[in-house]
């Protein structure tokens, strides 16, 4: 890649992030400023910050890549990522804010008064946080190596260092401004090129997205094979390719089918049907459940609610966030679809996550427009890595500083940040083979099976006990964690076991709810004595100030 | 020299405050009346949240099932785009925002009703 504009764009985003961070640092005077921005952040800023923090590498790069590869079935990812905020709004937002809890462990202690449950929740917050941080750092490494040809560890370490330093020095106040800025940057970085891409598609006389004979190469393309694969050509020829081999295609050549990728037009264009694949339907519902219910259990999402002044503001903020992420998620689909036309070689190489970064130059040529847009997209991608990692790191560090180190001071928070940032950085360097979008999906599944039952039942059901909550988190969350470990490090599986472990939410979430309810009923003498007062605090309108 | 600012309280308002204070105390002290009031509010808010999530479950959750049992629905083309792409890629987002907006409106109305009840117990 010879685009000289990409590196300055990435450097500019990084410097702006650090710069706004230091501007915020000058304003941060007290521990309260540092951790919760003293609750003076306005709902619009706060909503943009939540949106900025939420739209991660998986949203910015992963969704378009998945759509390019698998087609309509994976549109459930963006729908679910947005719908997660609706579930959060309906069941959690206002009562959680009124509870006064800053983190999930705080909520456990406030609602159930159990230290041991708090420790269990702390362990899950740290696990989910790290599980979500690793793919962000990986995404940074892969993007930087795709657009600049640098080595993989450079991007991962760069993002880890910038984010750790920024969070440790600036804290939450700075992060709010940084995140809000990054939401608008990410939206611009996808929206502006999308307009140019759509115009280019018009100017090219609207080439068909799914030509009758499958996708074709529009220009002469050379593909270097990185992993051995089996290619099936449309004329029936089957060919094994080895790593390092170079395949050349002339304009108009059909794209060969790579094992496991939906090249066939109808597979890509139409949802999977009942007749041919029950497992597909199960996986779809599992994904829906994980994303709808997982958002509320993500540690970096909840921390944000504490910066709202009251419950009603938390509700309004959540609605604005839903609108902001809804607008954003209209865009990746355009990249995934146009990628079928302009970057079909990614279907052969399998590096479909690169489609957003490569599409502007592939479609608009490497003239000034194409290169400027490519630089803009790369800047947006970096904003995605920086903002999500910052939010995750803030919340993991917050939990470590209060629950593991046991200090509430600014110095303790800084030490915790370094610890919280170092671990995923080391992990990211050692596991470059993991699939970014899949790991993010697994983090949602773990959150949905551990914290979702705890929050929903804790807020709405008087009968929840500490034993029931702990059992639900251990059994449901534990089953989801086990599924994650089997998928990530276990042996390759096929058929039903593969689906059950790769998309576990459809069985782990009901399991977690059932265990929580049954154990709570069995131990109903342990219902906290002050449950009436707690319910009043969670649900009484803010105007009454009870 | 300006006089120190005096606090003027209208008699009518002050009487109403007394009543409101009584109900607030009942709420805060968890008397049977207070407890029943809170239970009613929680039930109303939960019923609202469940009703709206049922709407989403049927409208969105029904789609994979619909596409699976009636593949012909997926073949329908609107404005040159296949129906599943249009529904999932575009229509679902304004739908979710619309549900969220009506929830915020209705939940605030429930809270307003509760506040009115607490502040004017005689009505």
């Amino acid at each position: 890649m010879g685009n000289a504009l990409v590196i300055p764009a990435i450097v500019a985003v990084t410097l702006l992030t650090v710069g706004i961070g230091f501007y915020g640092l000058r304003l941060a005077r007290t521990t309260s400023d540092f951790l919760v921005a003293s609750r003076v952040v306005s709902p619009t800023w706060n909503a943009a910050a939540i949106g900025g923090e939420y739209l991660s590498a998986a949203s910015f790069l992963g969704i378009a890549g998945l759509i390019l590869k698998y087609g309509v079935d994976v549109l459930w990812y963006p729908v679910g990522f947005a719908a997660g905020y609706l579930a959060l709004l309906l069941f959690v937002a206002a009562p959680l804010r009124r509870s006064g809890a800053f983190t999930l462990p705080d909520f456990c202690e406030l609602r159930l008064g159990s230290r041991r449950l708090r420790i269990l929740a702390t362990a899950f917050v740290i696990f989910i946080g790290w599980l979500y941080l690793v793919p962000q750092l990986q995404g940074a490494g892969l993007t930087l190596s795709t657009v600049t040809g640098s080595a993989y560890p450079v991007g991962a370490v760069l993002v880890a260092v910038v984010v750790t330093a920024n969070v440790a020095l600036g804290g939450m106040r700075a992060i709010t401004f940084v995140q809000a800025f990054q939401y608008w940057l990410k939206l611009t970085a996808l929206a502006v090129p999308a307009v140019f891409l759509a115009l280019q598609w018009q100017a090219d006389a609207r080439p068909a997205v799914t030509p009758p004979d499958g996708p074709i190469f529009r220009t002469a393309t050379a593909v270097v094979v990185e992993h051995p694969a089996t290619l099936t050509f449309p004329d029936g020829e089957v060919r094994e390719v080895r790593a390092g081999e170079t395949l050349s295609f002339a304009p108009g050549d059909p794209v060969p089918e790579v094992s496991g990728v939906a090249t066939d037009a109808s597979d890509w264009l139409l949802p999977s049907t009942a007749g041919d694949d029950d497992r597909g339907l199960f996986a779809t519902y599992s994904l829906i459940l994980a994303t709808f219910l997982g958002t509320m259990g993500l540690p970096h999402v909840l921390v944000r609610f504490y910066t709202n002044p009251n419950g009603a503001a938390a509700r309004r903020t959540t609605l604005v966030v839903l609108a902001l992420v809804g607008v954003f998620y209209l865009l990746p689909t355009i990249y995934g679809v146009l990628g079928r036309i302009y970057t079909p070689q990614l279907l052969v190489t399998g590096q479909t996550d690169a489609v957003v970064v490569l599409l502007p130059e592939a479609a608009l040529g490497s003239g000034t427009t194409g290169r400027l847009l490519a630089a803009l997209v790369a800047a947006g991608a970096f904003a995605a890595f920086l903002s999500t990692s910052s939010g995750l790191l803030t919340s993991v560090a917050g939990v470590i500083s209060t629950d593991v180190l046991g200090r509430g001071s600014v110095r303790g928070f800084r030490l915790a940040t370094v610890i919280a940032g170092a671990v995923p950085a080391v992990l990211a360097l050692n596991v470059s083979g993991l699939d970014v979008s899949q790991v993010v999906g697994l983090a949602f599944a773990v959150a949905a099976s551990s914290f979702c039952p705890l929050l929903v039942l804790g807020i709405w059901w008087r009968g929840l006990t500490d034993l029931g909550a702990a059992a639900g988190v251990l059994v449901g969350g534990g089953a989801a964690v086990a599924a994650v470990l089997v998928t990530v490090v276990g042996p390759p599986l096929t058929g039903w076991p593969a689906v059950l472990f790769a998309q576990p939410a459809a069985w782990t979430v009901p399991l977690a709810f059932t265990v929580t309810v049954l154990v709570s009923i069995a131990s109903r003498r342990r219902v906290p004595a002050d449950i009436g007062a707690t319910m009043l605090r969670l649900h009484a309108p803010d105007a009454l100030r009870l | 020299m300006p006089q120190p600012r005096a606090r003027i309280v209208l008699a009518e308002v002050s009487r109403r405050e007394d009543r409101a204070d009584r109900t607030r105390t009942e709420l805060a002290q968890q008397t049977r009346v207070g407890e029943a009031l809170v239970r009613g509010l929680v039930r109303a808010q939960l019923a609202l949240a469940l009703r709206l999530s049922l709407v989403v479950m049927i409208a969105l959750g029904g789609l994979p099932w619909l596409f699976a049992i009636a593949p012909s629905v997926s073949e329908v083309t609107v404005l040159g785009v296949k129906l599943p792409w249009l529904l999932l890629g575009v229509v679902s987002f304004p739908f979710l925002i619309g549900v969220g907006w009506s929830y915020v409106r209705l939940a605030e109305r429930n809270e307003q009703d509760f506040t009115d009840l607490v502040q004017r117990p005689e009505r």
Side-chain angles (χ1 to χ4, degrees):
Chain A
M1 285 294 129
N3 190 339
L5 296 170
V6 166
I7 292 181
I10 291 173
V11 170
V13 167
T14 312
L15 286 182
L16 259 174
T17 304
V18 175
I20 302 178
F22 274 91
Y23 173 71
L25 178 63
R26 289 195 318 156
L27 298 175
R29 287 280 172 268
T30 63
T31 310
S32 167
D33 274 353
F34 206 72
L35 291 177
V36 295
S38 297
R39 298 190 203 159
V40 292
V41 181
S42 82
T44 325
W45 272 98
N46 206 14
I50 296 177
E53 191 166 78
Y54 187 61
L55 300 171
S56 65
S59 299
F60 197 90
L61 304 174
I63 292 174
L66 285 174
I67 291 171
L68 170 62
K69 203 193 279 188
Y70 300 110
V72 69
D73 280 334
V74 294
L75 281 177
W76 285 107
Y77 274 97
V79 173
F81 287 157
Y85 272 99
L86 184 65
L88 186 68
L89 172 64
L90 294 185
F91 294 103
V92 177
L96 183 80
R97 172 60 198 92
R98 292 190 191 115
S99 78
F102 179 45
T103 61
L104 277 157
D106 283 350
F107 179 78
C108 293
E109 190 157 4
L110 283 164
R111 171 67 177 77
L112 296 161
S114 160
R115 286 290 305 172
R116 268 184 287 179
L117 183 61
R118 189 185 171 109
I119 294 167
L120 182 63
T122 302
F124 268 88
V125 166
I126 296 175
F127 180 84
I128 295 172
W130 281 343
L131 186 63
Y132 212 132
L133 265 167
V134 171
Q136 307 304 326
L137 300 179
Q138 270 185 283
L142 293 173
T143 303
L144 210 61
S145 65
T146 307
V147 296
T148 68
S150 67
Y152 162 77
V154 176
V157 170
L158 178 74
V159 168
V161 169
V162 169
V163 167
T164 307
N166 207 35
V167 170
L169 296 178
M172 189 90 165
R173 172 85 187 221
I175 292 302
T176 301
F177 291 124
V178 174
Q179 307 281 36
F181 155 73
Q182 280 170 339
Y183 169 78
W184 295 108
L185 176 61
K186 276 181 267 191
L187 187 69
T188 314
L190 276 196
V192 172
V195 171
F196 280 90
L197 289 170
L199 291 175
Q200 181 66 34
W201 180 68
Q202 292 279 358
D204 289 344
R206 300 174 169 223
V209 176
T210 50
D213 305 323
I216 55 167
F217 289 99
R218 293 175 51 79
T219 52
T221 309
V223 176
V224 181
V225 179
E226 289 191 1
H227 302 287
T230 309
L231 304 183
T232 313
F233 289 85
D235 55 15
E237 184 197 344
V238 178
R239 200 173 133 196
E240 300 278 338
V241 289
R242 286 188 311 274
E245 220 173 300
T246 305
L247 304 169
S248 299
F249 299 95
D253 274 1
V255 177
E257 191 175 326
V258 183
S259 37
V261 178
T263 320
D264 181 40
S266 70
D267 266 8
W268 184 81
L269 196 58
L270 302 176
S272 53
T273 51
D276 57 43
D277 203 358
D278 280 347
R279 293 196 297 268
L281 204 57
F282 176 89
T284 302
Y285 275 112
S286 208
L287 176 67
I288 291 174
L289 211 56
T291 49
F292 278 39
L293 299 179
T295 306
M296 68 176 74
L298 294 178
H300 62 305
V301 171
L302 283 195
V303 173
R304 277 272 155 214
F305 280 81
Y306 199 61
T307 45
N308 288 298
N310 57 41
R315 220 156 26 206
R316 297 241 170 95
T317 301
T318 317
L319 181 60
V320 179
V321 176
L322 179 59
L324 291 177
V325 299
V327 169
F328 179 87
Y329 283 134
L330 295 172
L331 299 168
T333 313
I334 299 173
Y335 285 80
V337 169
L338 292 180
R340 297 289 286 196
I341 301 170
Y342 294 107
T343 55
Q345 71 274 17
L346 295 177
L347 292 171
V348 182
T349 61
Q351 287 190 322
T352 45
D353 280 347
V355 61
V356 171
V357 179
L358 294 179
L359 193 56
E361 276 193 272
L364 304 166
S366 45
T368 314
T369 320
R371 285 167 54 178
L372 274 175
L373 293 176
L376 180 62
V377 165
F382 253 72
F385 309 138
L386 290 174
S387 57
T388 304
S389 327
S390 302
L392 284 163
L393 197 58
T394 308
S395 47
V396 173
V399 166
I400 291 182
S401 80
T402 52
D403 288 288
V404 181
L405 301 178
R407 288 188 270 178
S409 66
V410 170
R411 179 192 277 257
F413 181 78
R414 287 184 175 154
L415 176 64
T417 308
V418 174
I419 299 171
V423 173
V426 171
L427 286 176
L429 291 182
N430 291 304
V431 287
S432 58
L434 290 181
D435 182 15
V436 172
S437 313
Q438 198 190 12
V439 177
V440 168
L442 288 170
F444 271 83
V446 174
S449 336
S450 53
F451 290 131
C452 168
L454 180 67
L455 281 168
V456 171
L457 294 172
I459 287 171
W460 299 102
W461 187 43
R462 284 163 185 259
L464 181 72
T465 66
D466 53 347
L467 279 185
V473 170
L474 274 179
V475 174
V481 169
V484 169
L485 295 179
V486 168
T487 310
V488 173
V489 293
L493 300 165
T494 53
W496 271 106
V499 180
L500 290 175
F501 283 114
Q503 294 286 358
W507 61 276
T508 53
V509 174
L511 178 71
F513 270 98
T514 314
V515 169
T516 310
V517 170
L518 290 182
V519 175
S520 290
I521 291 175
S523 62
R524 76 170 78 81
R525 270 178 304 168
R526 297 179 65 99
V527 170
D530 61 347
I531 177 65
T534 310
M535 291 308 259
L536 178 67
R537 180 165 160 205
L538 293 182
H539 296 282
D542 309 292
L544 288 175
R545 288 203 198 83
L546 283 160
Chain B
M1 284 292 279
Q3 290 290 312
R5 189 168 285 186
R7 189 188 170 110
I8 298 171
V9 182
L10 294 176
E12 200 186 344
V13 174
S14 129
R15 248 203 330 274
R16 226 176 65 190
E17 287 267 287
D18 280 349
R19 281 183 222 147
D21 281 350
R22 202 165 59 227
T23 320
R24 282 184 190 205
T25 316
E26 276 183 348
L27 283 176
Q29 292 183 345
Q30 300 295 305
T31 59
R32 202 173 292 176
V33 177
E35 173 115 4
L37 281 172
V38 177
R39 275 181 196 271
L41 173 68
V42 173
R43 201 166 297 148
Q45 298 286 48
L46 181 61
L48 172 63
L50 288 176
R51 271 204 306 274
L52 288 176
S53 39
L54 193 69
V55 170
V56 175
M57 264 193 275
I58 292 171
L60 278 184
L63 287 180
W65 180 76
L66 178 72
F67 297 148
I69 59 155
S72 57
V73 178
S74 319
E75 303 276 1
V76 177
T77 305
V78 183
L79 304 172
V81 182
K82 288 266 191 275
L83 193 60
W85 286 88
L86 201 64
L87 288 179
L88 291 179
V90 181
V91 178
S92 58
F93 299 108
F95 168 73
L96 290 171
I97 297 168
V99 174
W101 182 78
S102 35
Y103 171 75
V104 170
R105 237 176 45 119
L106 295 169
E108 286 183 353
R109 197 155 78 192
N110 280 345
E111 289 185 349
Q112 191 56 48
D113 290 349
F114 181 79
T115 311
D116 291 348
L117 191 71
V118 170
Q119 291 186 335
R120 285 196 296 275
E122 267 80 44
R123 282 201 193 167

